[in-house]
Amino acid sequence: MGTPWAVLVLAVALVGLWAPCATYKQPNFIVILADDVGWGDLGANWAETKETPHLDELAAEGTRFVDFHSAASTCSPSRASLLTGRLGARNGVTHNFAVTSVGGLPLNETTLAEVLHGAGYSTGAIGKWHLGHHGHHHPSFRGKDCASGMSWAPHGHIVPTDTLTCSSGFDYYFGIPYSHDMGCMDTPGYNHPPCPPCPRHGSIAKVVRKDCYMDVALPLFENTTIIQQPVNLSSLAERYAEEAARFVRRASDSGRPFFLYLALAHMHVPLGVPPSPLASGIYGASLSEMDALVGRIKQVADSHGKGNTLLWFTGDNGPWAQKCDLAGRLGPFIGAWQQQRGGSSAKQTTWEGGHRVPALVYWPGHIPAKRTSRALLSALDIFPTLVALAGAALPPHRRFDGLDVSPVLFGWSDVGHKVLLHPNSGAAGKDGGIEALRLAQYKAFYTTGGAMACDGSIGLAEHHQPPLIFNLDRDIQEQEPLDVASREYKEVLPAISRAYTQALEDIATDNITAADYSKDPAVTPCCDPQHVACRCH
C-alpha cells in the first residue's frame, strides 16, 4: 500500500478530477490537533454539547468521521504516529518525553513535514511539540533546506547553515516544547488539583504534589529562541491564531503550497481562565475558546482561496478522566466494563474513550459536505493521505500503519482499516505494546486496567488469555464481552488471533527504531538560569 506507483496513479486521477488544465496544483494542508479532547466534545457528535458552533459548521460543510481513532492514547506517541504514519512499536516513541529528555522522535524517522518540504511545500508547526526539544530533535532543527543552505525564519530573517541540521521539515516553529502542565506559570489556570503560580524573588515554593513543576517555568519558543518564560496562558490561543494567520499569509504570498501543523493547548489542563465563564462551567468556556480559534483558522484558510486548502481537525487522545469536571466528554464511549471495576476508561487506556476522537475534514469543492462516514480510520492515515494528495512518494525501506484514505475523503468509498491496532499508552502493559485491536466491528483486549479515574481508583491490571472480545455494533459502551462459550466468540476468535499474530510479525520484521529516553537536567529549556524558574527579563 502507498507505493510510489500507487501515489502516481492517484495523483494523475486527481488531476483529471480537479483541473481542466494539464498542471496539477498541489493543495494546501492544515492539520489541527486538539489535546485531550473527547469524542463528545463536538456538538455534531453529541447533542448535549452546545459550545462548538464553528466546529459544527465545519462538520456541515465537510465530512465528519465517527469511527476515527488516535494512534495512541497519550501525547508523544500519538503525535509521533501522526507525523510518521507509523505506530510507536515501529518509530520508537512509546511514551511521553520529559522536560529533561535528551532525545525525541528518532532522527531517522521521516516526518510528514519532511516529505512535503521535499515536494515544494512551506511548512510550519505552531503549538505543542512534545517530540523532543534538545538539539536536533527540536522542530526548528527539522526545518533546514540543505540544498540552499537557508531556512525560513520569522520576519524574513535567515538562519545560517551552521545552526541547523540537514533534515528538511518545518520551516517555522512557534509554540511550547511539551504539555503546558510541565512548567509553572504566573497565572496557572484551572487544574485538578490546582498547582500554584511560579515562585518569585529567589525562593522556591515547597510543593507537596510531585506533578506540579515549580523549578522551571513553561517556555514559549519562536524557532529556537525562547521569547517568553513563563508563558502567559490567557493569551496563548490568541498568539497561536495570529502566528497561524501570519504563516498562511507569508506562504501564500510566496506562491508555494503550505502545510501547517497546529497543535492546540486545548483541552489539556490547566485550562485557561476564560474572560466570561459560561453556564457550562470552566471546561465549557475553554471548549468555546477552542471552537472560536478553529473558526478563525478556517476563515484564514478560506480568505486565501476557498477550495485551495484541506483542513483536517482531530484529537491526540481522549479525555483525561482523573481531572474530573475539567476533563472532556466521552459521549457513549464510557468503557462500562472497566468503570464497573474501577479506574479510567479514557486517556492512557485502549478503551474506545481513550482513542476514539472527533475528526472533521473540510475542503470545499473536493470533499462532500454534510456527509458522515463510518469508515474505520486513524490519525495514522493523515501521513500517507496527504503525501498522496501532494503528489509525493512515501519514504522507502519501511512499512506504514496508515492508509491513503483519499477515496474515503472524496466519498468514493466508505472502507477504511480492516484491522486497527491500539498500543498500550501508560495504563496496564508495556508502553507501546500491542495488546488491543479492532477487527471490523469486534474489539479484542489482551490487557485492561491501570489508569486512574476521577475518584482516584486505578483499575486492576489484568491480562486476558483468551482475550475479551466486544461487538461494538451492539455494545458501543463496551459493557459486556462476548461469552467465550458462545458461537459468535468461537467464530471470531480465530480471525482475531490470526490478525494479531500477523500484525506482531509485521512489526517485528520491519525497519524499526528506538527513541532515546535518557534524561539530563542540563537540557531543560531555560531562558535565564540566573533568575528564579528561568524567568526572562
Side-chain angles (χ1 to χ4, degrees):
M1 66 183 175
T3 63
W5 175 250
V7 171
L8 177 61
V9 170
L10 175 64
V12 171
L14 295 180
V15 170
L17 176 68
W18 295 336
C21 59
T23 302
Y24 172 62
K25 182 178 180 181
Q26 294 168 303
N28 305 315
F29 302 124
I30 298 176
V31 174
I32 302 178
L33 187 68
D35 201 338
D36 289 3
V37 68
W39 188 92
D41 282 335
L42 188 66
N45 283 347
W46 196 240
E48 296 176 16
T49 296
K50 308 297 183 184
E51 299 92 351
T52 58
H54 296 96
L55 283 163
D56 297 343
E57 179 183 75
L58 202 66
E61 296 180 5
T63 296
R64 178 173 64 106
F65 298 92
V66 295
D67 201 354
F68 190 95
H69 301 261
S70 60
S73 299
T74 196
C75 302
S76 297
S78 177
R79 291 155 199 273
S81 291
L82 186 156
L83 289 173
T84 65
R86 287 155 54 86
L87 288 167
R90 300 183 198 269
N91 66 39
V93 181
T94 58
H95 54 286
N96 289 339
F97 293 105
V99 174
T100 55
S101 285
V102 173
L105 174 64
L107 298 177
N108 61 341
E109 288 290 327
T110 304
T111 69
L112 176 58
E114 292 173 64
V115 176
L116 294 179
H117 194 283
Y121 278 71
S122 296
T123 55
I126 294 174
K128 171 179 168 179
W129 179 238
H130 215 170
L131 292 174
H133 54 271
H134 175 61
H136 291 172
H137 295 288
H138 189 284
S140 289
F141 287 156
R142 293 181 182 267
K144 171 75 181 305
D145 183 340
C146 298
S148 67
M150 296 295 181
S151 176
W152 185 77
H155 316 303
H157 297 305
I158 298 297
V159 178
T161 57
D162 59 0
T163 65
L164 295 167
T165 182
C166 281
S167 175
S168 300
F170 290 111
D171 296 319
Y172 178 62
Y173 173 63
F174 183 93
I176 56 177
Y178 29 69
S179 298
H180 62 287
D181 64 342
M182 296 171 66
C184 64
M185 291 176 279
D186 288 337
T187 52
Y190 291 88
N191 202 342
H192 178 78
C195 287
C198 284
R200 294 179 180 268
H201 312 305
S203 60
I204 299 295
K206 292 183 179 180
V207 179
V208 175
R209 291 182 55 216
K210 64 179 182 179
D211 53 345
C212 286
Y213 291 76
M214 300 305 298
D215 292 338
V216 179
L218 183 72
L220 178 64
F221 279 85
E222 186 167 29
N223 289 328
T224 60
T225 302
I226 296 176
I227 60 172
Q228 189 180 57
Q229 194 170 10
V231 168
N232 183 344
L233 183 60
S234 63
S235 63
L236 190 59
E238 178 64 26
R239 297 196 73 167
Y240 283 174
E242 291 173 354
E243 293 302 326
R246 182 178 293 115
F247 172 81
V248 169
R249 182 172 63 251
R250 291 178 66 92
S252 298
D253 290 347
S254 75
R256 297 169 63 192
F258 65 81
F259 165 54
L260 173 61
Y261 170 58
L262 176 57
L264 305 179
H266 301 80
M267 298 298 299
H268 198 294
V269 294
L271 302 179
V273 181
S276 53
L278 302 179
S280 53
I282 298 300
Y283 190 87
S286 187
L287 182 60
S288 180
E289 182 182 56
M290 181 189 78
D291 177 74
L293 174 56
V294 174
R296 287 181 63 179
I297 300 303
K298 174 180 178 288
Q299 187 177 35
V300 166
D302 286 345
S303 70
H304 289 274
K306 193 168 186 177
N308 293 339
T309 301
L310 182 155
L311 191 158
W312 199 319
F313 172 87
T314 189
D316 71 334
N317 48 248
W320 199 357
Q322 71 187 69
K323 298 302 177 178
C324 300
D325 60 339
L326 301 181
R329 301 152 186 172
L330 293 170
F333 305 106
I334 62 174
W337 187 92
Q338 185 65 63
Q339 286 191 349
Q340 292 164 4
R341 289 158 177 79
S344 169
S345 57
K347 177 179 177 175
Q348 300 181 311
T349 79
T350 53
W351 298 98
E352 290 294 291
H355 52 74
R356 193 184 290 227
V357 290
L360 307 170
V361 181
Y362 166 79
W363 191 9
H366 305 286
I367 289 177
K370 300 180 180 179
R371 176 171 173 256
T372 297
S373 169
R374 289 174 172 77
L376 178 59
L377 302 186
S378 168
L380 291 159
D381 305 327
I382 293 175
F383 182 106
T385 302
L386 299 193
V387 167
L389 294 177
L394 291 174
H397 312 305
R398 68 198 67 192
R399 298 172 192 155
F400 294 87
D401 298 290
L403 305 174
D404 171 10
V405 296
S406 49
V408 181
L409 265 57
F410 295 128
W412 304 337
S413 168
D414 211 28
V415 178
H417 292 258
K418 181 180 179 182
V419 176
L420 188 61
L421 308 178
H422 300 301
N424 299 334
S425 299
K430 179 183 177 182
D431 287 335
I434 308 299
E435 295 183 299
L437 76 155
R438 176 86 173 270
L439 175 66
Q441 74 268 34
Y442 294 101
K443 176 89 170 285
F445 292 84
Y446 291 88
T447 296
T448 56
M452 183 181 291
C454 172
D455 62 7
S457 65
I458 299 177
L460 177 67
E462 297 185 57
H463 299 281
H464 306 278
Q465 191 59 258
L468 297 179
I469 300 177
F470 295 83
N471 184 332
L472 298 183
D473 280 353
R474 296 196 306 266
D475 184 13
I476 202 65
Q477 295 185 342
E478 295 173 301
Q479 183 170 4
E480 188 67 36
L482 301 180
D483 185 341
V484 295
S486 69
R487 179 177 178 180
E488 185 178 13
Y489 188 96
K490 292 177 180 178
E491 288 178 348
V492 73
L493 179 60
I496 286 175
S497 298
R498 282 194 302 271
Y500 188 44
T501 300
Q502 290 170 3
L504 296 182
E505 289 177 352
D506 184 73
I507 292 171
T509 57
D510 191 16
N511 181 9
I512 61 177
T513 54
D516 176 7
Y517 277 97
S518 63
K519 298 178 183 180
D520 183 350
V523 307
T524 301
C526 185
C527 180
D528 188 346
Q530 300 303 314
H531 288 94
V532 176
C534 292
R535 286 181 178 275
C536 285
H537 285 267

